[in-house]
Amino acid sequence: MPYNTTAIPPRKEVTGTTQLPLTRVKKIISMDQDITTCSNNAAFVITIATEMFIQHFVQEAHNMAKLERKPRRNIQYKDMANAVLHHDNLEFLEDVIPKTTPYSKIKDQAAATRAKLKGEKKAGGAAGDVCEEPPAVGQPNGKKHKPNGHANGVAAAAAPKILADDDPSAQLEMEMRQAQRGQDGDVDMTG
């Protein structure tokens, strides 16, 4: 038996009731330590605003699904991530709904990061040592891995910027190495 995939149209008239459970919204509001009391009217308005936001977000994600080469009626995670990326008013959701990355790309980045870290350890790991580029590794499709375009004479002081651009976990590893060396200064968190 086929699934019922017909869309439920949003209500146009105000009925005084919400589709989200009002008591659950009140519980969520009461969990905030900054808010001591919240009237029923305020909770109702927050619930309505939440429903309107969800409706807007889903509509934008549905538009992304219709813009694909093969338009779809069902919304997938990638449609929501694309909506967050393409609309400025949804930009605050970038951390919650990030764009997915293919596993092969993550695997290549991890291998490059490991090679860079091994290169630093061989050179002694001091601040003035030279960072070596990882050797070219073959891809499963027969293509060669492209290096980042940095010369072999790049100082280790510039290496954290390079690592932070490539992989966020590499920045964390670099910060842990700095902490183990006993540097008591502020860590540069700019990317």
Side-chain angles (χ1 to χ4, degrees), residues 47 57 64 75 77 82 93 114 130 166 183:
T47 306
F57 182 49
M64 289 295 156
I75 298 173
Y77 178 86
N82 285 335
L93 292 172
R114 270 188 253 113
V130 174
D166 291 343
Q183 296 176 350

Side-chain angles (χ1 to χ4, degrees), residues 109-126 129-135 137 156 159 163 170 173-174 177 181:
Q109 286 178 346
T113 303
R114 270 188 253 113
K116 286 180 183 179
L117 292 175
K118 287 180 183 178
E120 279 187 18
K121 289 180 182 176
K122 288 179 185 175
D129 290 339
V130 174
C131 179
E132 299 175 5
E133 273 298 311
V137 179
L163 290 175
E173 291 174 9
M174 184 260 315
R177 285 195 311 274
R181 283 189 232 143

Side-chain angles (χ1 to χ4, degrees), residues 14-133:
V14 177
T15 61
T17 60
T18 61
Q19 292 183 341
L20 294 175
L22 191 58
T23 55
R24 179 82 46 95
V25 174
K26 287 181 183 178
K27 283 183 183 179
I28 293 171
I29 293 171
S30 68
M31 290 173 61
D32 189 357
Q33 296 173 354
D34 295 336
I35 300 174
T36 55
T37 59
C38 180
S39 67
N40 288 338
N41 292 339
F44 178 77
V45 170
I46 291 171
T47 306
I48 294 296
T50 304
E51 288 178 2
M52 290 173 67
F53 169 73
I54 292 171
Q55 181 180 353
H56 170 71
F57 182 49
V58 170
Q59 184 62 42
E60 295 299 331
H62 184 67
N63 290 341
M64 289 295 156
K66 289 193 285 186
L67 290 175
E68 297 249 337
R69 273 189 299 180
K70 283 179 75 175
R72 291 177 277 107
R73 292 182 63 196
N74 295 340
I75 298 173
Q76 297 177 356
Y77 178 86
K78 63 182 179 179
D79 303 321
M80 298 174 86
N82 285 335
V84 169
L85 283 177
H86 289 91
H87 296 284
D88 292 339
N89 61 349
L90 299 174
E91 187 175 313
F92 70 97
L93 292 172
E94 283 181 343
D95 295 336
V96 180
I97 306 174
K99 181 106 171 122
T100 56
T101 307
Y103 177 70
S104 60
K105 185 175 180 181
I106 293 173
K107 191 174 174 183
D108 292 342
Q109 286 178 346
T113 303
R114 270 188 253 113
K116 286 180 183 179
L117 292 175
K118 287 180 183 178
E120 279 187 18
K121 289 180 182 176
K122 288 179 185 175
D129 290 339
V130 174
C131 179
E132 299 175 5
E133 273 298 311

Side-chain angles (χ1 to χ4, degrees), residues 5 41 58 61-62 93 119 129 139 145 149-150 166 170 184 186 189:
T5 58
N41 292 339
V58 170
H62 184 67
L93 292 172
D129 290 339
Q139 300 285 333
H145 179 71
H150 302 290
D166 291 343
D184 286 342
D186 287 337
M189 297 297 287

